[in-house]
Amino acid sequence: PDDLEGWRRLARAYGVLGRKPEAMQAHQRVLALAPNDPDALWALGAAAQERGDARTARRYWQTLLAGLPAGSQERGRVEAAIASLPK
């Protein structure tokens, strides 16, 4: 239950298999073990955006943004994703 790398692998595997609910549950477990995990924050934000929950997507992505270096490609991608959310 506390195997962070195992949860990360499981989340990726479920994602590849198209099993979104299981992937999101695994990403939630990753965040329970590593609250600033960038892959989990991105994936959970994207899932929230897909279901029309801009507030939750923004929360995940702003948390992700706080840990990214200024000027990085990743930061630009996250900033663009946040900007694309409805207000």
Side-chain angles (χ1 to χ4, degrees):
D2 293 332
D3 180 4
L4 178 59
E5 287 308 314
W7 285 107
R8 285 177 175 153
R9 285 191 305 272
L10 186 60
R12 283 191 299 271
Y14 279 141
V16 168
L17 293 171
R19 296 173 60 180
K20 288 184 181 185
E22 292 93 342
M24 294 307 102
Q25 287 176 339
H27 282 301
Q28 288 287 0
R29 185 65 184 149
V30 168
L31 284 188
L33 297 169
N36 294 313
D37 184 87
D39 291 334
L41 289 167
W42 177 258
L44 290 167
Q49 180 188 35
E50 281 182 26
R51 66 177 183 270
D53 186 351
R55 182 178 184 182
T56 299
R58 185 174 286 108
R59 182 173 48 87
Y60 281 122
W61 289 343
Q62 286 176 334
T63 301
L64 173 57
L65 195 62
L68 296 174
S72 69
Q73 276 186 311
E74 294 85 5
R75 186 177 187 87
R77 181 174 77 151
V78 175
E79 288 172 336
I82 291 171
S84 75
L85 293 171
K87 302 287 181 210

